[in-house]
Each structure stands twice: as C-alpha cells, then as structure tokens.
Amino acid sequence: MTMTTYNQISVPSFLYGTAWKKDATARLVQLAIESGFSAIDTANQLIHYQEALVGEALQSLAHRGVPREALFLQTKFTSADGQDHRTPYDPRADLTTQVKQSLDSSLQHLRTDYLDSYVLHAPFSRRGLGAADWEVWAAMEDLYKSAKTKMIGVSNITAAQLALLCEEAQVKPMMVQNRCFAVTAWDRQVRELCQEHGSIYQGFSLLTANPDVLAASQVRAIAARQGATPAQVVFRFAMQVGMLPLTGTSSQEHMIEDLAAERITLSADEVELIETIAL
Ligand SMILES: NC(=O)c1ccc[n+]([C@@H]2O[C@H](COP(=O)([O-])OP(=O)(O)OC[C@H]3O[C@@H](n4cnc5c(N)ncnc54)[C@H](OP(=O)(O)O)[C@@H]3O)[C@@H](O)[C@H]2O)c1
C-alpha cells in the first residue's frame, strides 16, 4: 500500500527510523530492507543518527540488486542548536547556505543525487514562525524546485505553526513528522490540517509515547480478537486514521511483526475506541 502527497508523490505505508542505532545502523538498515521495508528515515545530525552508515547500507544493498529507485529516502536539516561540534555545514554561514550545505552533505552520505523527502527537523520558534523559520523554509522550497528532493516537510511542529506555514508558504509541506501521543487524540489537530492540505502525517514514538495504551485492557482485547499484538493494533490504527507510522525497532522479529500490521483490519468501533482511549 502507498500514500500520495498533494504533488502526486507515492510514499510507502511504513517508515523504518534509524535514530539511536549508532554503529548498528548499517546492519539494521539492511535487515529492515530485507525484511520488507522500503522507506528509511534519517537525519544529518550525528548526536542521534548515523546518516553515513545508512549510505553504507544502501551501497551494499545496491550491490545486491536493490536499486536506489526502489527505496524512499528521507533525511532532515537540523539547525546548529540541535547539533554538537560535528555540525555538517558551516554554522557561521547564513541559514540559506546552511540548508544547502546540509543537503549536499546528506546526498554524499547517502550516496545518491536526490532525496525523496527533505525535512526541517524543527522550527526555530516555539510559538509562531519567525524570520529564521521563513528563511530556512524558503531555502527548502528552492531545493524542491531544483528537484534535489521530491518532497519537503517539517517535524516537531504545532497545529498553529502548521496552519501558518500552509497559509503563507510558496510550497506547502508535503509531509509532517510528529511525536504522536494518545492524550492529544493522537495529534488530531495536526493530522486534520495535513488531511486538509494533502500532506502526509508521519507519526513517531507511537509505541514508546503510549505505554498505557499498549497495556490497556481494551487494546489487549482488540489484539486478542484480531489475533494480533497490541503493537500491531496501534500501528494498524495509525494507518487506518491516515497516518504513515515509523518504527525504530532493532529486532527482525519486530520488523516483520510491525509490517504485518497492515494485514489486519480494525472495525470503525475499534478505531474510534483507540482514537479516544486517552481523552
Ligand atoms: N523528527 C524527530 O524529531 C524524531 C524524533 C524521534 C524519532 N524520530 C524518528 O522516528 C523513528 C522511530 O522512533 P520511535 O520513537 O517511534 O521508535 P524507537 O524509540 O526507536 O523505538 C521503538 C521501540 O518500540 C519497540 N518495538 C517496535 N516494534 C515492536 C513490537 N512489534 N513489539 C514490541 N516492541 C516493539 C522497540 O523495541 P525493539 O527494538 O526491541 O523492537 C523500541 O523499543 C526514529 O528512528 C527516527 O527515525 C524522529
């Protein structure tokens, strides 16, 4: 199954996330692709990600017959305050230059000449959008227009900020990636805005941010009825409400289990119960 953005780009229905994999990154990316994932999320931010090791895995996969075009690659521009001393661009340069240098460095790490999706890791502003946010977004728009990336998107954004971005941007984000908590009806306001604007909502920490949901007797009952695990119920719920979920599992058993979530179908009542379980 794939999802489609407003600019008609197809995106696979599950993303494999590579944060915190350290030296195991290359091995786990290969394992994820061999297990059935075709979409990879990373970032040019050495504190949490090893983007160059993702590239190493992609090169091995290419040698074994998995071409670049068969994969969906997404990476992020992380501002200097989200980096340590290993900033992958000149932190003294203007923001437009930083974004371009970071993308070029990502292309080098990933051994490719284009990205499927390029993401602003987080707005600079906590509320609203300031001059720095608009400058970075304009630089991302330029990269999209020059075809270095098929999509641009934003992460860690509030509903108010997203509404503003969609209203004022020349190129609206094609995707949004947020941590997804059940207590906010699974980020419903942001999801609704994405739906309105034809953007894909990517949810991360679906399991780790919602341990109470996984342990809830109602979710366990749904899992038992479906012959599934609570993790699969949460991932399938995410898909049925229109999200593109991420998983960051390090286990092949869980990779296979997470992908198999797509094979179950929750009833409308089950979806509604999970959507409102923490409200
Ligand atoms: N934009 C951002 O700021 C941002 C921030 C955080 C993350 N992300 C992205 O999102 C990705 C995923 O992050 P995440 O926070 O969702 O995941 P995560 O923290 O990497 O962890 C997933 C957790 O769920 C467990 N798990 C996965 N499948 C399971 C299953 N079927 N049964 C039981 N446990 C299962 C994993 O354990 P096992 O390893 O034992 O399976 C792991 O503990 C990251 O790798 C990164 O790409 C983005």
Side-chain angles (χ1 to χ4, degrees):
M1 211 182 89
T2 55
M3 303 172 87
T4 307
T5 56
Y6 74 82
N7 63 332
Q8 305 309 315
I9 302 296
S10 292
V11 182
S13 53
F14 221 135
L15 266 169
Y16 182 69
T18 61
W20 314 299
K21 303 294 179 283
K22 301 182 178 170
D23 291 350
T25 302
R27 178 179 65 79
L28 289 170
V29 168
Q30 289 189 61
L31 197 61
I33 302 292
E34 284 159 12
S35 303
F37 285 91
S38 58
I40 300 293
D41 177 76
T42 183
N44 203 354
Q45 181 202 32
L46 277 163
I47 300 177
H48 298 303
Y49 296 83
Q50 294 291 332
E51 195 183 48
L53 295 184
V54 174
E56 205 176 285
L58 299 177
Q59 190 175 42
S60 303
L61 286 158
H63 287 143
R64 299 211 316 272
V66 182
R68 163 69 183 92
E69 311 77 61
L71 302 173
F72 179 93
L73 298 184
Q74 172 170 285
T75 191
K76 310 183 191 86
F77 167 74
T78 310
S79 62
D81 55 11
Q83 307 275 359
D84 59 15
H85 61 283
R86 297 166 294 175
T87 308
Y89 48 80
D90 177 2
R92 292 170 312 263
D94 59 78
L95 289 169
T96 304
T97 307
Q98 289 182 22
V99 173
K100 291 187 170 146
Q101 286 181 352
S102 190
L103 178 116
D104 286 340
S105 151
S106 289
L107 293 179
Q108 230 176 345
H109 287 157
L110 296 170
R111 304 167 199 225
T112 183
D113 54 6
Y114 72 96
L115 295 173
D116 294 281
S117 175
Y118 197 46
V119 184
L120 169 57
H121 212 147
F124 288 82
S125 316
R126 289 180 74 93
R127 292 220 177 102
L129 295 172
D133 298 309
W134 290 114
E135 183 177 346
V136 166
W137 191 256
M140 305 224 356
E141 290 176 331
D142 285 348
L143 294 173
Y144 170 69
K145 288 176 198 159
S146 69
K148 286 200 168 179
T149 181
K150 293 184 177 181
M151 294 164 53
I152 52 174
V154 60
S155 183
N156 300 300
I157 191 163
T158 66
Q161 288 174 318
L162 181 60
L164 196 60
L165 186 60
C166 289
E167 213 170 287
E168 311 258 324
Q170 241 186 68
V171 180
K172 290 187 293 188
M174 289 94 185
M175 55 73 51
V176 171
Q177 183 183 95
N178 268 1
R179 180 168 276 120
C180 196
F181 292 97
V183 288
T184 60
W186 308 87
D187 214 7
R188 182 151 59 201
Q189 279 186 304
V190 173
R191 286 193 288 120
E192 283 176 356
L193 277 166
C194 285
Q195 202 168 18
E196 187 186 323
H197 291 280
S199 310
I200 290 180
Y201 179 95
Q202 304 181 357
F204 65 85
S205 300
L206 284 159
L207 305 186
T208 49
N210 302 295
D212 294 350
V213 173
L214 288 166
S217 57
Q218 304 98 307
V219 172
R220 290 184 172 270
I222 294 172
R225 238 185 350 260
Q226 295 278 355
T229 64
Q232 286 178 313
V233 168
V234 167
F235 285 132
R236 185 57 185 157
F237 156 78
M239 291 173 188
Q240 284 189 227
V241 295
M243 279 188 226
L244 168 54
L246 287 104
T247 178
T249 179
S250 297
S251 125
Q252 188 172 30
E253 194 188 320
H254 287 163
M255 288 175 185
I256 292 166
E257 181 180 319
D258 295 351
L259 285 167
E262 206 165 342
R263 294 207 287 269
I264 62 174
T265 304
L266 304 175
S267 69
D269 286 349
E270 288 171 334
V271 169
E272 195 187 332
L273 187 153
I274 299 167
E275 195 161 24
T276 52
I277 196 166
L279 300 184

